[in-house]
Amino acid sequence: MDYYGSQMSRLIEQLSSLPGIGGKSAQRLAFHIIHMPKERVEQLSRTILEARNNVRYCSRCCTLTDQEVCPICSDPARDQKTIMVVENTRDLAAYEKTGKYEGVYHVLHGAISPMLGIGPSDIRLKELMQRLQGEVEEVIIATNSSLEGETTAMYISKLIKPTGIKVSRIASGVPVGGDLEYIDEVTLLRALEGRTEL
Ligand code: ZN
């Protein structure tokens, strides 16, 4: 039974298809949206559309950005010879929030998972290897401490070892299976400072 009329139902249905939004939240959001001033709704829709159209991968570190080269990679104050490898842009944001890391990043957009059929060619590894042909002194592997994150870390370290570039892994202050983005800044910093060479 369609309590709300078809357009309202469609809005609720589309909102509930978003990750983390259950049926109840979708209803709440839908009611909120139809009570918002029209200009605000237009602004919101436009922002979503513009972000979708313009956000892409940085040509160096593969993070999400609306520029050819992201602000971190184009910042002359950053140490371009130290690259921290993270699984996604949210992890990068977590490290940026600490304000203490001065190197640059490489965003893999995933982790190797034989169980899910995600192999090395499905993440941005080729791009990382290409960057290592430039002047790089250290690669810090900061993938999550899940099975996939560890598998990825091991794979990357084996790949880089023969190049002679220093490879290190952040300390396991990060709980097993823990998503980097939920971990507080102090723990993140401790993990970074306590990193060990592989
Ligand atoms: Zn970048």
Side-chain angles (χ1 to χ4, degrees):
M1 167 116 185
D2 192 357
Y3 304 104
Y4 298 128
S6 64
Q7 294 208 347
M8 191 65 181
S9 295
R10 208 165 62 203
L11 178 59
I12 294 172
E13 190 189 298
Q14 296 221 359
L15 287 168
S16 65
S17 72
L18 297 172
I21 311 272
K24 272 196 182 150
S25 303
Q27 278 187 38
R28 202 158 37 83
L29 284 172
F31 276 98
H32 183 80
I33 289 168
I34 56 148
H35 288 112
M36 271 160 68
K38 276 187 189 163
E39 313 78 69
R40 282 274 297 112
V41 179
E42 270 167 21
Q43 198 181 30
L44 176 64
S45 335
R46 212 174 326 116
T47 305
I48 294 174
L49 201 61
E50 278 173 7
R52 178 63 190 86
N53 285 338
N54 300 326
V55 173
R56 53 189 148 158
Y57 296 129
C58 166
S59 62
R60 282 189 214 162
C61 73
C62 301
T63 194
L64 295 172
T65 177
D66 49 17
Q67 295 153 31
E68 167 71 16
V69 177
C70 78
I72 296 173
C73 287
S74 46
D75 182 351
R78 304 293 291 236
D79 167 17
Q80 304 281 338
K81 293 178 182 171
T82 305
I83 299 178
M84 184 194 288
V85 179
V86 291
E87 289 183 23
N88 54 54
T89 297
R90 296 189 306 272
D91 292 345
L92 174 154
Y95 265 100
E96 277 305 282
K97 258 192 250 161
T98 69
K100 294 272 165 56
Y101 175 65
E102 285 163 358
V104 290
Y105 297 90
H106 189 85
V107 183
L108 295 172
H109 295 285
I112 297 171
S113 169
M115 259 178 40
L116 296 174
I118 301 169
S121 59
D122 298 315
I123 57 177
R124 306 257 156 175
L125 262 182
K126 201 174 67 202
E127 290 84 348
L128 174 65
M129 295 314 287
Q130 274 163 5
R131 290 178 78 187
L132 299 187
Q133 292 174 3
E135 251 184 278
V136 176
E137 278 169 7
E138 183 179 0
V139 174
I140 303 168
I141 305 177
T143 51
N144 294 340
S145 51
S146 59
L147 179 62
E148 293 79 17
E150 292 299 346
T151 308
T152 309
M154 225 143 45
Y155 187 89
I156 295 175
S157 84
K158 273 195 199 140
L159 219 53
I160 298 180
K161 272 273 148 162
T163 65
I165 295 168
K166 182 176 169 189
V167 192
S168 56
R169 175 89 174 107
I170 55 165
S172 50
V174 179
V176 171
D179 250 332
L180 279 186
E181 55 175 320
Y182 298 122
I183 293 160
D184 70 273
E185 292 162 26
V186 178
T187 311
L188 276 184
L189 274 180
R190 213 175 288 150
L192 177 60
E193 278 157 13
R195 67 184 182 273
T196 45
E197 196 167 341
L198 293 174

